[in-house]
Amino acid sequence: AQSVAQPEDQVNVAEGNPLTVKCTYSVSGNPYLFWYVQYPNRGLQFLLKYITGDNLVKGSYGFEAEFNKSQTSFHLKKPSALVSDSALYFCAVREGGFKTIFGAGTRLFVKA
Amino acid sequence: DVKVTQSSRYLVKRTGEKVFLECVQDMDHENMFWYRQDPGLGLRLIYFSYDVKMKEKGDIPEGYSVSREKKERFSLILESASTNQTSMYLCASSSYSGQVQMEKLFFGSGTQLSVL
């Protein structure tokens, strides 16, 4: 069965510093990987996805993610964090079909 | 702009009540989903629908049912609400492009349900 792990409940980073939010996955076939962000009192918004091709995927708001098949990871990154990036981030995987499985979420705090 | 609308932002119900959560999308999407979000557990899929009148169980369907009589509307029903169903409920939709697994989900703002 497919699964997603986000090993950190919370990530703290200073504004202007690079940030990384970690994600590992487990699927039996080819993974389709997603990152979503949830701002306070809002639904989830799509950030980026990996389907196939280049292992470095660029998405919204300056975020990018690196797909690493050997480590089964899909870490979210940003070169320079903003206070406005503070939110709850979810990694998700879809192996095929309709079901998208989400991780538990990582809360990002960016301090000014 | 794409929109998924959930009828209530906050809802308070009593144990044993029948509860209806409504979701409407204006994107003509074929697929609709109901998730619940709990701290530390992420999002868990309750039910989904890939066409009108079609429904499939997700990972945690017990205690819930759904209805999809029209393409744009997907309802989640709690037949007899219990306190362990207190949660944030998120509706989502996606389109079918022939390679459905590639499509992202569009989410509503959520309904925070409290069962007392």
Side-chain angles (χ1 to χ4, degrees), chain B residues 34-60:
Chain B
W34 276 106
Y35 286 87
R36 63 177 282 178
Q37 180 182 0
D38 299 288
L41 296 177
L43 278 70
R44 292 178 290 167
L45 182 63
I46 305 172
Y47 267 97
F48 65 95
S49 168
Y50 53 88
D51 201 352
V52 175
K53 296 191 185 294
M54 305 303 291
K55 59 185 179 183
E56 293 284 343
K57 293 180 179 179
D59 297 317
I60 52 164

Side-chain angles (χ1 to χ4, degrees), chain A residues 23-25 33 43 50 66 78 80 97 100 108:
Chain A
C23 171
T24 59
Y25 66 90
L33 296 157
Y50 171 83
E66 187 170 10
K78 188 174 182 181
S80 179
T100 301
L108 173 66

Side-chain angles (χ1 to χ4, degrees), chain A residues 4-7 20-26 31-36 46-52 54-59 64-77 90-93:
Chain A
V4 177
Q6 294 181 242
T20 299
V21 182
K22 295 179 180 177
C23 171
T24 59
Y25 66 90
S26 175
Y32 302 102
L33 296 157
F34 303 80
W35 277 100
Y36 290 84
F46 170 80
L47 272 182
L48 51 80
K49 66 181 179 183
Y50 171 83
I51 303 298
T52 186
D54 194 350
N55 289 345
L56 186 63
V57 179
K58 294 189 182 297
E64 58 190 27
E66 187 170 10
F67 171 66
N68 187 316
K69 188 173 183 178
S70 62
Q71 297 186 6
T72 61
S73 66
F74 189 56
H75 301 331
L76 182 70
K77 300 181 180 184
F90 290 95
C91 183
V93 65

Side-chain angles (χ1 to χ4, degrees), chain A residues 32 34 36 38 40-46 49 51 88 90 94-105, chain B residues 9-10 31 33 35 37 40-43 45 48 50 58-59 90 96 100-105 107-110:
Chain A
Y32 302 102
F34 303 80
Y36 290 84
Q38 186 178 39
N41 300 313
R42 303 278 297 276
L44 275 70
Q45 298 176 34
F46 170 80
K49 66 181 179 183
I51 303 298
L88 187 57
F90 290 95
R94 186 184 297 160
E95 187 172 12
F98 297 95
K99 289 178 62 174
T100 301
I101 303 300
F102 287 82
Chain B
R9 182 71 181 91
Y10 298 97
N31 311 313
F33 307 81
Y35 286 87
Q37 180 182 0
L41 296 177
L43 278 70
L45 182 63
F48 65 95
Y50 53 88
D59 297 317
L90 293 170
Y96 178 78
V100 64
Q101 62 269 31
M102 296 187 181
E103 296 306 317
K104 65 186 180 185
L105 297 172
F107 283 87
S109 296

